[in-house]
Amino acid sequence: MTDTLRAAWDAHAADYARVFAPVTGFIAQNMFRMTAARLPAQSRILDVACGAGELTIAAALHARSMDNAPSAHGTIWATDFSAEMIALTEQAVAAHGVAEFVRCEVHDGQQLALADETFDAVFSSFGIFLFPDRQAGWREAARVLRPGGMFVTSVWRDPEHNALARQQMAPLLASLPPRLLDLPPRPDWIGLLSAEGLMADVCGAAPFVDPEISVISATLVVPHPFAMWDAMQGNPVTNRLLVGCTADELADVARAVVAHFEALAGGAHRPLLLDASAHVLVARRG
Ligand SMILES: C[S@@+](CC[C@H](N)C(=O)[O-])C[C@H]1O[C@@H](n2cnc3c(N)ncnc32)[C@H](O)[C@@H]1O
């Protein structure tokens, strides 16, 4: 499954960076800023499932602003299992002039090829919760953290509090053929969308203590409704629901989803705005 998923994220990387990273990146950068004051001087930081590198850039700019000495081993390790995502992060790092602070490497976050107790902080913005074996992801994050080190991760809130999820899922669930709604393997992260569920999952799987939850919200702006449908088709999270459709079924779903988005946007050529809201969990390695 990992190879198929990796290929799907590789194929989606450029669209993800263009359409979704502006909103996840806003949240990632703010989750770094809200915890930066807790980092020790000269921190070693790991970004798990870094995507196009938004959190890594915030961390590297912080390291530079603190006059941290660049380390030959890298102060911030940006990791993702998608080589295309890592290539985007490398470009972003170079464009911000912070390459001396960052080491970019391909790693599966369920099995990091990194030594125990290496990092002062591990971040994962909308990453580990999507892994097929997310418990392995939480455990690996804890393993590579030094005792007392900080773990920070973001996960979407439930559809009731998160229009981005609600407005994508409502027309999909209403228009998909019923046989596709219950196909295994279902992502089993619905329980994580509450603050209590997220804390229980992370602290139950790995030796994390003192969990705290905050909310960060942002608005996704897409130039027009069809652009959102186009991005949803390539996004591995929503594409999982679409792959079993016949061509006719997919055309029906497309019509329903685009019509829903056009009603929200007020027309086919108007920008679509979707409010998104996430929980940010901060915990300590016990
Ligand atoms: C929703 S994106 C989040 C990217 C970025 N952190 C952000 O906030 O925009 C999920 C990322 O997880 C990566 N990913 C998925 N499964 C992974 C795994 N097993 N190991 C490492 N990265 C993985 C994908 O390649 C993708 O970059």
Side-chain angles (χ1 to χ4, degrees), residues 90-113:
E90 279 170 343
Q91 284 169 25
V93 162
H96 283 82
V98 287
E100 60 189 343
F101 294 101
V102 182
R103 181 162 169 160
C104 297
E105 286 187 358
V106 172
H107 283 265
D108 185 336
Q110 299 163 129
Q111 207 173 5
L112 295 165

Side-chain angles (χ1 to χ4, degrees), residues 9 16 24 28 49-51 80-82 85 107-110 125-127 130-131:
W9 279 108
Y16 182 86
T24 58
C50 63
D80 199 289
F81 77 164
S82 156
M85 290 291 194
H107 283 265
D108 185 336
Q110 299 163 129
S125 165
F126 303 107
L130 291 174
F131 295 178

Side-chain angles (χ1 to χ4, degrees), residues 13 24 34 40 48 52 61 74 83 96 105 130-131 155 166 192 200 213 233 235 243 249 279:
T24 58
M34 73 187 230
V48 177
L61 292 172
H96 283 82
E105 286 187 358
L130 291 174
F131 295 178
V155 172
R166 188 171 67 247
L192 291 188
I213 297 271
Q233 284 191 84
N235 187 312
V243 284
E249 288 167 344
H279 284 133

Side-chain angles (χ1 to χ4, degrees), residues 32 39 42-43 45 56-71 75-76 92-102:
F32 179 80
L39 293 169
Q42 307 290 337
S43 289
I45 293 170
T56 285
I57 295 299
L61 292 172
H62 174 77
R64 190 172 66 184
S65 76
M66 300 296 284
D67 285 333
N68 281 5
S71 149
T75 309
I76 296 124
V93 162
H96 283 82
V98 287
E100 60 189 343
F101 294 101
V102 182

Side-chain angles (χ1 to χ4, degrees), residues 59-280:
L61 292 172
H62 174 77
R64 190 172 66 184
S65 76
M66 300 296 284
D67 285 333
N68 281 5
S71 149
H73 304 295
T75 309
I76 296 124
W77 291 50
T79 64
D80 199 289
F81 77 164
S82 156
E84 294 295 328
M85 290 291 194
I86 288 296
L88 290 171
T89 297
E90 279 170 343
Q91 284 169 25
V93 162
H96 283 82
V98 287
E100 60 189 343
F101 294 101
V102 182
R103 181 162 169 160
C104 297
E105 286 187 358
V106 172
H107 283 265
D108 185 336
Q110 299 163 129
Q111 207 173 5
L112 295 165
L114 297 168
D116 295 356
E117 302 186 8
T118 304
F119 295 96
D120 298 296
V122 175
F123 289 83
S124 185
S125 165
F126 303 107
I128 294 174
F129 89 110
L130 291 174
F131 295 178
D133 184 356
R134 68 166 181 272
Q135 273 79 19
W138 307 137
R139 278 196 303 274
E140 281 294 88
R143 180 183 66 75
V144 300
L145 257 182
R146 64 165 172 77
M150 179 168 68
F151 177 58
V152 188
T153 194
S154 54
V155 172
W156 294 120
R157 295 174 75 200
D158 59 275
E160 188 189 343
H161 298 99
N162 182 8
L164 176 61
R166 188 171 67 247
Q167 303 295 3
Q168 286 183 88
M169 293 317 290
L172 266 188
L173 297 181
S175 59
L176 275 170
R179 72 171 196 291
L180 296 180
L181 291 177
D182 263 328
L183 281 184
R186 290 178 64 79
D188 132 39
W189 37 263
I190 302 302
L192 291 188
L193 307 184
S194 72
E196 301 71 27
L198 177 59
M199 287 191 286
D201 202 73
V202 172
C203 297
F208 290 118
V209 295
D210 302 335
E212 303 160 28
I213 297 271
S214 314
V215 170
I216 303 184
S217 300
T219 302
L220 177 69
V221 183
V222 209
H224 52 81
F226 188 82
M228 185 64 188
W229 165 246
D230 201 33
M232 282 170 66
Q233 284 191 84
N235 187 312
V237 177
T238 32
N239 180 267
R240 193 193 68 82
L241 292 164
L242 302 171
V243 284
C245 287
T246 65
D248 285 348
E249 288 167 344
L250 191 61
D252 286 344
V253 175
R255 263 190 296 279
V257 173
V258 173
H260 181 82
F261 290 159
E262 285 179 3
L264 288 175
H269 304 290
R270 294 175 57 84
L272 175 66
L273 277 64
L274 296 170
D275 293 332
S277 190
H279 284 133
V280 175

